[in-house]
Amino acid sequence: AQAAPAEETHGFIIFIRGAAVGREDLTTRRGPEGLVISGRGRVAPPLDTVTHSAEVRYNADGTPLSLAVDATVQGHTVTIRTTFQGTQALSVTTEHDRKVSETHKVSAKTTVVPNLFFGTYEALAGRLVNAAVGNEFPAYVAPQLEIPVRVRAIYNESVQAGSSVFPVRRYEIGVANPGGDVVMHLTGDA
């Protein structure tokens, strides 16, 4: 008999420049079929985004299968549907009743990180576990383009929640954007 998929649900706070601006709740399901990350969230202005639902699916070998996002961005309904076939990402985005279809070349094991839902970084965090400073990972910012994400630093730290203290690992990553690198911090279990 096959083991049931391992499922984990948690929430996290989104910070921009040190200020809490939102929250997302996500469920991660890992099983023989692969990885599914799903959830919803809200981010205050200036991003002003409500993610009603988001889901990204990966095969067991880490190749992306699909992305689905339903959101409201600054009062406008936005949907993204992306499917992956080999090294092609096929996206259909609808905004203001305008539908746009795009195809992009991506790496076979790209990590899917749409701008509308930070919870998808859970897949990148899993890939960072064995990373070293200087390692690069491809990330597809759906539905725009694939960019390199470089590990800039790794810090072993402790976090206190109530009276409990537990070890964490914080990754400083540089996300290559057309206007220059954006520095982000991902914190996960040590």
Side-chain angles (χ1 to χ4, degrees):
Q2 280 190 337
E7 187 169 294
E8 185 177 294
T9 299
H10 55 277
F12 61 93
I13 306 298
I14 299 163
F15 293 88
I16 297 178
R17 294 185 186 98
V21 296
R23 176 183 172 87
E24 289 184 349
D25 297 299
L26 71 120
T27 299
T28 304
R29 190 171 64 247
R30 296 177 200 281
E33 305 289 314
L35 170 67
V36 178
I37 300 168
S38 60
R40 61 185 176 181
R42 178 180 299 267
V43 181
L47 298 179
D48 193 17
T49 301
V50 177
T51 303
H52 306 290
S53 66
E55 180 180 270
V56 63
R57 294 178 169 272
Y58 294 89
N59 270 327
D61 69 357
T63 57
L65 294 170
S66 63
L67 167 72
V69 178
D70 294 300
T72 303
V73 179
Q74 299 177 341
H76 303 286
T77 301
V78 176
T79 63
I80 301 171
R81 299 291 184 266
T82 303
T83 56
F84 297 86
Q85 298 174 356
T87 59
Q88 297 288 312
L90 310 153
S91 294
V92 177
T93 305
T94 305
E95 184 174 359
H96 307 296
D97 295 326
R98 194 179 106 223
K99 188 181 276 192
V100 176
S101 298
E102 300 174 84
T103 301
H104 295 106
K105 184 171 174 51
V106 297
S107 302
K109 291 194 179 180
T110 196
T111 301
V112 183
V113 290
N115 283 331
L116 298 177
F117 192 67
F118 295 97
T120 56
Y121 279 84
E122 179 85 11
L124 180 61
R127 293 176 185 194
L128 291 172
V129 169
N130 297 314
V133 172
N135 286 162
E136 268 192 14
F137 298 88
Y140 180 58
V141 183
Q144 298 165 321
L145 73 161
E146 185 177 75
I147 58 172
V149 174
R150 175 172 286 147
V151 179
R152 296 168 53 121
I154 301 172
Y155 305 97
N156 292 309
E157 300 175 334
S158 296
V159 171
Q160 184 170 348
S163 61
S164 299
V165 177
F166 52 96
V168 296
R169 183 163 292 137
R170 182 169 52 95
Y171 301 91
E172 180 179 301
I173 59 174
V175 179
N177 281 340
D181 274 8
V182 172
V183 176
M184 297 176 71
H185 295 263
L186 290 177
T187 301
D189 297 335

